[in-house]
């Protein structure tokens, strides 16, 4: 349940951003409404990229380039991250938890490859389950809302057809008032979850296809692929010239790796259409209305044309069939427009045989039936389903004409088969299917080439025969085009397999007389299978005007890269594109970026002019975790340019901006080693809470990250900040005066200065991390001494005072001596040394060791202890001296204020 909406606090409206997103694709996103993108430049990383360009930068080293972000000061908006954290889905934490437990980055690559492969497959299954649960949750919520709306309409006596329009009108008014008040509130819940549901349906399908194809693209090194094939072939058994084609088909899918991959993609495309598209009856409902015969198409034949034919026969009192060549019939038997002649017979071939037409409603009826048949084939429905659907509409002959696609199976020859190959879970113990499918497919292909057929009828026969042009002609989505290509590839490959291994089933004369569409030749017959997938994607990209805007949607591109075994190249280009996008949208002089030299074979994720992965954290989360799967398999190449890190780092910025700081170290550990601590230093530079810092240090240690190296990089970044004023010019502490109450001079009032600058505050905030990291004594006090010198020389006395109060030598000593001396002490307090041997703040083990020492050994122990304490005190001496100087200056300022009050 969404949290209640907090009352709107009176505040200044957020300043308008100078640029907005340029959308050219219709994306199923919760940030859309009828009036366009309402949350432009306010969600996710966009407030980072646009409101303060100097926060984004690329640090350039001698051999690498990677992304850096100067984090904003959280103290300026303490509730910003907590409010945003309410809007993100719980799956963000769920995926992070699964990543941490199933794929620990610490020591992962040291494991055997087969273990890494098994872990990756387990992780994919867990991600798929999480996506399925999210999809089910949103679907149930949507169904519940629809039922509630329907019930409310019935109670109010509303017409369901007008209630939706009324609600839309109400929504428009709400949008108007929101705009009048300064736009939609950033923390407001979306009015509709349709976009979220669409995303989870797509994500669920992506994990499905990744789970099925990954073992083929990257086989488990520990499994013997040939041995597995031999076992499967033994189960299938020996094939002869009498073996049914169903058994040959099963053997074909075992032997041919390419065919098995195409078959997996084809089944996935069928399932996608089944899950995401409306029911078959819904698909043809509009055409049913135009057919003028009521809902359901439950009437045989062409009713309107039949009435015209019967009328002509009654008029002429002819008992026999009308002759279309008769002058009287040709001029009288016309359609309602009185232009085209109607058929005189009602058999299915009458239109093509007589080259005459049907009445317009019957044409709609014909198109509706064939469109339904195409939809059922497209979704992989079995023969029984299609036969039942057609039988209920008294059009059984159409199902019979398509039933030849089922391969034959004879239990007498092939043995008993319990489960059908298409997994329709029906026992088969008799002769079924078509024994001459090769010839039957060729006849279907000949029908595709015949003139006079409707587009959908031609597409039905094209799908059955493996034709590509006829199916592509009616393809309306990216998935339809993919189906057309992979269906043609699979059937072409099987036909070649039959010609090679069972030539009697495809005689040479028949193959030459009735050729089939050769999809392999169409794609150039490349040596590697995945290259065909890449060629298909490129072909669709080049024809994207015909494919439509859906191809530009990021998730379709992601699906395509997985299917074509080109995810590595795709993610690399996305990482480079993020660099280009940030450069284009920012004017910071600190930005460097990865060169975008284009290669003809490289992916180009420039789908709509900006980067959708930076607009939608759900898509970014999906891309990042698929990238981790490939990292676990060890197939991601080394990348000195940092493109892959750009993707991971963008997601880390989202986590930070959403208040999920505890997840940041986990994802930072998946960056390349040279960028891990640098990124942590950037993200954690503004953390002020001591408990949070301690928690993050523990997380770093658990992930194998060195907190001391993190501190070193953190302070180096802070000291290189160009906003730090390195000048030694400052006002004198003493000023002359003509006031006879003073001896010609006096201390300047409030000489410690005003509030510390933001750059000085950042230095102190970074130095505070030393209170949460044990050890590293010498470096800590060296850096602290440098800070005092910087502040005091440049006249930043208030910054020095803040440093002395927030990170004193006593605080540092109590935080760090435990790991060095075995007990926490203030090294400046010599009273601690008098009763060292009786101290109870040692660890229990150390106390027991002291008690067991002899008198001489205790003296040696005490001497070594005092020596260590003195060394620590000597290393901290300069820091302590400058700290005391700051205390003295503070006391002097207070004395001056008190003296002035007395004098006045």
């Amino acid at each position: 349940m969404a949290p209640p909406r907090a009352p709107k606090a009176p505040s200044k409206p957020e300043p308008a951003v100078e640029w907005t997103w340029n959308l050219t694709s219709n994306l199923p996103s919760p940030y859309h409404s009828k009036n366009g993108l309402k949350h432009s430049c306010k969600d996710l990383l966009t407030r980072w990229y646009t409101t303060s360009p100097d926060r984004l930068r690329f640090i350039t080293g001698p051999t690498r380039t990677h992304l850096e972000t100067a984090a904003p000061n959280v103290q300026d908006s303490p509730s910003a991250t907590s409010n945003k954290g309410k809007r993100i889905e719980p799956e963000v934490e769920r995926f992070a938890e699964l990543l941490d437990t199933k794929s620990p980055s610490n020591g992962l690559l040291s494991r055997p490859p087969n273990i890494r492969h098994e872990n990756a497959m387990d992780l994919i299954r867990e991600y798929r389950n999480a996506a399925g649960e999210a999809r089910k949750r949103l679907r149930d919520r949507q169904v519940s809302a629809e039922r509630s709306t329907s019930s409310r309409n019935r109670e109010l006596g509303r017409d369901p057809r007008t209630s939706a329009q009324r609600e839309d009108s109400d929504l428009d008014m709400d949008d108007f008032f929101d705009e009048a008040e300064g736009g939609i509130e950033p923390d407001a819940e979306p009015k509709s979850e349709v976009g979220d549901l669409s995303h989870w349906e797509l994500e669920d399908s992506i994990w499905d296809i990744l789970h099925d194809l990954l073992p083929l693209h990257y086989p488990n090194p520990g499994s013997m692929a040939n041995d597995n094939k031999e076992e499967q072939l033994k189960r299938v058994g020996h094939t002869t010239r009498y073996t049914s084609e169903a058994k040959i088909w099963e053997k074909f899918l075992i032997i041919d790796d390419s065919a098995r991959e195409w078959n997996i993609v084809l089944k996935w495309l069928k399932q996608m259409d089944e899950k995401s598209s409306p029911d078959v009856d819904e698909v043809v409902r509009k055409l049913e209305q135009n057919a003028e015969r009521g809902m359901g198409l439950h009437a045989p034949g062409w009713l309107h044309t039949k009435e015209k034919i019967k009328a002509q026969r009654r008029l002429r009192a002819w008992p026999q069939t009308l002759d279309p060549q008769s002058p009287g019939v040709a001029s009288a038997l016309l359609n309602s427009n009185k232009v085209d002649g109607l058929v005189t017979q009602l058999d299915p071939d009458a239109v093509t045989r007589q080259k005459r037409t049907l009445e317009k409603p019957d044409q709609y009826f014909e198109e509706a039936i064939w469109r339904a048949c195409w939809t059922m084939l497209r979704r992989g429905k079995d023969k029984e389903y299609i036969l039942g659907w057609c039988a209920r509409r008294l059009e059984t002959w159409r199902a019979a004409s398509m039933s030849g696609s089922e391969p034959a199976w004879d239990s007498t020859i092939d043995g008993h088969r319990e489960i059908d190959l298409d997994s329709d879970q029906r026992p088969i113990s008799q002769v079924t299917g078509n024994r001459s499918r090769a010839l039957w497919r060729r006849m279907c292909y000949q029908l595709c080439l015949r003139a006079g057929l409707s587009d959908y009828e031609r597409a039905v026969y094209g799908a059955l025969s493996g034709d590509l042009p006829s199916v592509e002609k009616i393809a309306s989505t990216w998935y339809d085009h993919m189906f057309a290509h992979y269906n043609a590839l699979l059937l072409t490959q099987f036909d070649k397999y039959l010609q090679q291994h069972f030539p009697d089933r495809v005689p040479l004369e028949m193959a030459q007389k009735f050729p089939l569409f050769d999809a392999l030749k169409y794609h150039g017959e490349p040596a590697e299978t995945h290259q065909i997938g890449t060629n298909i994607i490129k072909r669709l990209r080049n024809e994207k005007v015909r494919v439509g805007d859906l191809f530009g949607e990021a998730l379709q591109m992601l699906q395509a890269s997985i299917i074509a075994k080109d995810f590595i190249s795709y993610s690399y280009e996305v990482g480079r594109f993020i660099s280009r996008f940030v450069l284009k949208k920012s004017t910071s002089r600190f930005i460097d970026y990865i060169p975008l030299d284009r290669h003809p074979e490289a992916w180009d994720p420039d789908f709509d002019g900006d980067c959708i992965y930076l607009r939608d954290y759900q898509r970014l989360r999906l891309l990042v975790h698929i990238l981790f799967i490939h990292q676990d398999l060890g197939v991601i190449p080394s990348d000195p340019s940092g493109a892959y890190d750009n993707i991971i780092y963008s997601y880390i910025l989202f986590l930070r901006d959403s208040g999920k700081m505890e997840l940041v170290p986990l994802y930072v550990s998946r960056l390349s080693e040279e960028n891990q601590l640098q990124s942590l230093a950037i993200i954690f530079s503004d953390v002020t809470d001591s408990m949070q810092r301690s928690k993050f240090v523990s997380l770093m240690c658990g992930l194998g990250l060195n907190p001391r190296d993190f501190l070193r990089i953190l302070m180096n970044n802070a000291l290189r900040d160009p906003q730090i004023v390195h000048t030694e010019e400052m006002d004198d502490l003493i000023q002359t005066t003509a006031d006879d109450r003073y001896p010609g001079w006096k201390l300047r009032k409030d000489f410690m200065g005003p509030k510390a600058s933001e750059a000085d505050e950042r230095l102190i905030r970074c130095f505070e991390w030393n209170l949460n990291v044990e050890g590293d004594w010498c470096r800590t006090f060296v850096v602290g001494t440098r800070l005092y010198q910087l502040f005091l020389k440049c006249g930043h006395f208030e910054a020095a005072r803040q440093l002395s109060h927030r990170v004193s030598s006593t605080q540092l000593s109590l935080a760090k001596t435990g790991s060095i001396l075995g007990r926490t002490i203030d090294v400046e307090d010599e009273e601690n040394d008098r009763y060292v041997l009786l101290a109870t703040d040692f660890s229990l083990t150390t106390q027991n060791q002291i008690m067991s020492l002899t008198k001489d050994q205790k003296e040696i122990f005490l001497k070594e202890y005092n020596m260590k304490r003195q060394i620590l005190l000597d290393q901290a001496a300069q820091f302590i001296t400058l700290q005391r100087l700051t205390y003295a200056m503070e006391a002097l300022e207070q004395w001056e204020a008190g003296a002035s009050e007395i004098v006045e």
Side-chain angles (χ1 to χ4, degrees), residues 2 61 104 117 137 175 198 354 410 420 426 431 813 833 835 859-860 899:
H117 192 281
R137 184 184 71 249
D175 291 345
S198 300
Q354 296 182 355
D410 188 343
D420 175 76
R426 53 188 173 87
V431 178
S813 181
D833 295 342
Y835 308 101
E859 291 181 358
I860 296 174

Side-chain angles (χ1 to χ4, degrees), residues 62-125:
T63 59
R64 57 187 172 87
T65 306
H66 63 271
L67 180 64
E68 179 189 4
T69 299
N73 187 359
V74 174
Q75 292 176 323
D76 294 342
S77 54
S79 63
T81 55
S82 61
N83 288 337
K84 284 188 178 181
K86 296 177 183 177
R87 296 178 56 196
I88 65 175
E89 294 289 340
E91 281 69 29
V92 170
E93 295 183 354
R94 174 77 184 280
F95 272 63
E97 179 184 355
L98 292 172
L99 179 67
D100 190 29
T101 56
K102 299 287 184 180
S103 176
S105 59
N106 191 11
L108 177 68
L109 295 180
S110 62
R111 300 180 182 181
N114 61 318
I115 300 298
R116 296 207 308 266
H117 192 281
E118 293 172 3
N119 288 345
M121 294 303 298
D122 289 342
L123 194 57
I124 292 175
R125 283 188 284 270

Side-chain angles (χ1 to χ4, degrees), residues 528-540:
E528 298 184 9
T529 306
H530 67 85
Q531 187 61 41
I532 295 180
T534 305
N535 293 343
I536 293 174
I537 304 305
K538 287 182 178 179
R539 189 180 297 272
L540 293 182

